[in-house]
Amino acid sequence: MRVKTGDLFMGVVLFGLSIALYIQTGNINTAMIYALGPVFFPKILIYSLGVLSLVLMYQSVDFTGKKNWCKAVAKFDANTMVLRWLLVGLTLLYLFLLPIISYVFATIPFLFLAMCLLGPRTPKKLITYGITSVAVTLALQYIFATLLKLFLP
């Protein structure tokens, strides 16, 4: 039996965090009447975190000895480093523009440019990136603003 210690440790920490956060949701004031309640969305996130941390813990243990784990190759790639820093700069620009130009108008170009940075840039993919950026942004706007009554910047 082999164990990926880092993954197992992270799974245990995240599971403990999900338990602590679940306990904390008991302190949320539910006196106001909402369609879904103020505890609904945090509990969805907490349940997801707990389940995914359990999956991570399970995957970090090789019970049969047949998993093909290999050590990551540590080599410097200048192109990858440039892409990482461009994404960091794009994220900082997004955070700066978010309160100024609103959620929808900041998020659509951010998602599109991030996908262009990280993925292939063929004409078909660019169309897919544009449609995905608009659809995800508007879906999140609808979920948060309309269903959950949470206002986005």
Side-chain angles (χ1 to χ4, degrees):
M1 180 170 84
R2 297 183 313 172
V3 175
K4 282 183 165 180
T5 311
D7 287 352
L8 183 63
F9 176 75
M10 184 57 69
V12 169
V13 168
L14 289 174
F15 189 70
L17 178 66
S18 66
I19 291 171
L21 289 173
Y22 181 80
I23 292 169
Q24 286 297 318
T25 57
N27 297 334
I28 295 176
N29 183 8
T30 58
M32 301 289 282
I33 297 175
Y34 294 100
L36 298 174
V39 180
F40 175 72
F41 186 67
K43 282 195 176 180
I44 287 178
L45 291 178
I46 292 166
Y47 291 147
S48 300
L49 179 64
V51 168
L52 291 175
S53 63
L54 289 173
V55 170
L56 179 62
M57 286 189 282
Y58 176 75
Q59 288 180 345
S60 68
V61 179
D62 183 8
F63 297 104
T64 62
K66 295 180 182 176
K67 288 188 180 176
N68 243 354
W69 291 339
C70 61
K71 294 189 181 236
V73 178
K75 69 178 184 180
F76 179 76
D77 183 14
N79 189 31
T80 304
M81 190 62 69
V82 168
L83 286 176
R84 286 180 186 172
W85 283 109
L86 282 173
L87 189 59
V88 168
L90 182 63
T91 304
L92 292 174
L93 179 66
Y94 171 70
L95 292 174
F96 174 74
L97 292 177
L98 190 60
I100 298 170
I101 63 173
S102 84
Y103 170 77
V104 172
F105 296 116
T107 304
I108 291 173
F110 169 74
L111 288 177
F112 180 76
L113 291 173
M115 286 187 254
C116 288
L117 272 176
L118 300 175
R121 289 178 285 278
T122 63
K124 184 179 178 182
K125 289 289 185 182
L126 293 177
I127 293 169
T128 304
Y129 297 159
I131 293 170
T132 303
S133 299
V134 171
V136 167
T137 302
L138 295 179
L140 288 174
Q141 175 74 19
Y142 175 74
I143 290 169
F144 282 98
T146 306
L147 296 179
L148 298 174
K149 306 284 190 246
L150 297 172
F151 296 104
L152 297 171

